[in-house]
Amino acid sequence: MRKWLYETIFEHDTRPGLHFDVALLIVIVLSIVVVMLETVQSFHAQYGDELRVTEWVLTWIFTLEYVTRLACHPKPAVYARSFFGLVDVLSIAPTFIAAIVPGAQALVVVRMLRLLRVFRVLKLAHFVRQADELTLALRASLPKIIVFMISVVILTTISGSVMYLIEGAEHGYDNIPKSVYWAIVTLTTVGYGDISPETPLGQFVSSLLMIMGYGVIAVPTGIVSAEIARSSPRERVSGQVCTGCGLEGHQSDAMFCKRCGTHLHH
């Protein structure tokens, strides 16, 4: 029974496992909709009691599911410390906390993180591989991006200081920090419009900064894209879950877990 429960709850390659994951996703979406409707005054006034009862029923379903996961997992402590294990706890706790602290039930929107299980339901294992490659590319790009961001900070500080000297307090540039704020808003092409240059020279500097803003968007994208292009293609991965550490995304022909070495049961 424990093995059957594990395969049903944690695996998605079997029909019962697929049905369980689909049902779980439906319940997750339903719980999120209930929480959202509770914040709508008209719905809350008319169906407040029904929504509250539904929320408690769904919370107990999630609680039962979490306890069952711990009971059938070979290493419950490993799952409890895993990403989805922590998300499961965070999705249950707010409803119970709300019984003591009113308003805390709004935090159950963290259940949206559980929708990440849709990747398993739809058997999009290649998405896991692509996410892996993107993570590696971001890590490899981090030093370059940090240098780039430092350059942006220096540029906005200089631009803000220059605009403070050009425009001055009479045009809204009361101090250098406020002028730097304007430079950041302009460089990132947000353009709130709460401060704007009025002198011809200030408008010229502003124009240059706005043109540079396109480079701010393009440079990090180019850095990450280059790292992704350098990454070598990986072999196909399966949805096999390691019973030792709960890791997914193993290569389709792997016999042992790449993290802990536990034998994979194909």
Side-chain angles (χ1 to χ4, degrees):
M1 176 60 71
R2 185 178 180 184
K3 181 180 179 182
W4 180 83
L5 282 174
Y6 179 84
E7 291 178 351
T8 301
I9 295 176
F10 286 94
E11 301 289 349
H12 63 272
D13 295 331
T14 62
R15 186 173 295 274
L18 179 61
H19 290 167
F20 174 83
D21 280 347
V22 170
L24 179 61
L25 286 175
I26 293 174
V27 175
I28 292 171
V29 172
L30 177 61
S31 69
I32 294 170
V33 171
V34 168
V35 172
M36 290 181 175
L37 290 178
E38 281 186 319
T39 63
V40 180
Q41 292 300 324
S42 57
F43 275 93
H44 184 74
Q46 190 171 0
Y47 305 105
D49 294 336
E50 290 83 353
L51 292 172
R52 196 173 301 108
V53 170
T54 304
E55 172 57 29
W56 273 105
V57 170
L58 294 173
T59 298
W60 281 112
I61 291 175
F62 289 131
T63 303
L64 177 62
E65 179 230 348
Y66 178 68
V67 171
T68 305
R69 285 181 182 274
L70 293 179
C72 69
H73 199 283
K75 296 182 179 180
V78 173
Y79 177 75
R81 294 193 300 267
S82 67
F83 171 76
F84 280 117
L86 295 175
V87 169
D88 289 346
V89 173
L90 291 175
S91 67
I92 296 170
T95 304
F96 293 102
I97 296 175
I100 304 173
V101 183
Q105 67 268 21
L107 297 176
V108 298
V109 293
V110 75
R111 287 176 184 167
M112 295 183 71
L113 291 175
R114 304 190 74 189
L115 292 175
L116 292 173
R117 296 183 191 274
V118 72
F119 289 105
R120 295 184 355 181
V121 175
L122 300 179
K123 296 185 178 182
L124 301 180
H126 60 282
F127 276 8
V128 177
R129 175 172 60 84
Q130 299 297 338
D132 240 7
E133 292 181 359
L134 181 59
T135 302
L136 291 174
L138 289 173
R139 287 178 181 173
S141 306
L142 188 59
K144 297 176 184 177
I145 293 177
I146 290 175
V147 172
F148 173 74
M149 293 306 297
I150 292 174
S151 302
V152 170
V153 170
I154 294 173
L155 176 62
T156 53
T157 302
I158 294 174
S159 301
S161 302
V162 170
M163 289 300 290
Y164 172 72
L165 295 174
I166 295 174
E167 295 292 326
E170 62 272 18
H171 294 146
Y173 296 80
D174 303 326
N175 49 62
I176 291 181
K178 190 172 183 179
S179 301
V180 170
Y181 154 78
W182 168 86
I184 294 172
V185 170
T186 304
L187 188 66
T188 55
T189 70
V190 175
Y192 289 129
D194 50 348
I195 310 175
S196 58
E198 298 181 18
T199 65
L201 182 57
Q203 291 170 353
F204 174 74
V205 174
S206 179
S207 300
L208 292 178
L209 203 60
M210 284 186 279
I211 294 173
M212 291 180 188
Y214 290 101
V216 171
I217 299 172
V219 172
T221 305
I223 293 173
V224 176
S225 299
E227 292 296 339
I228 292 176
R230 289 178 191 167
S231 62
S232 57
R234 289 178 173 77
E235 299 179 14
R236 294 182 59 188
V237 295
S238 68
Q240 181 72 40
V241 180
C242 174
T243 57
C245 65
L247 182 67
E248 296 185 47
H250 296 88
Q251 294 177 354
S252 56
D253 60 347
M255 298 299 296
F256 300 93
C257 175
K258 57 186 178 182
R259 176 188 290 170
C260 67
T262 300
H263 185 267
L264 301 175
H265 301 281
H266 293 277

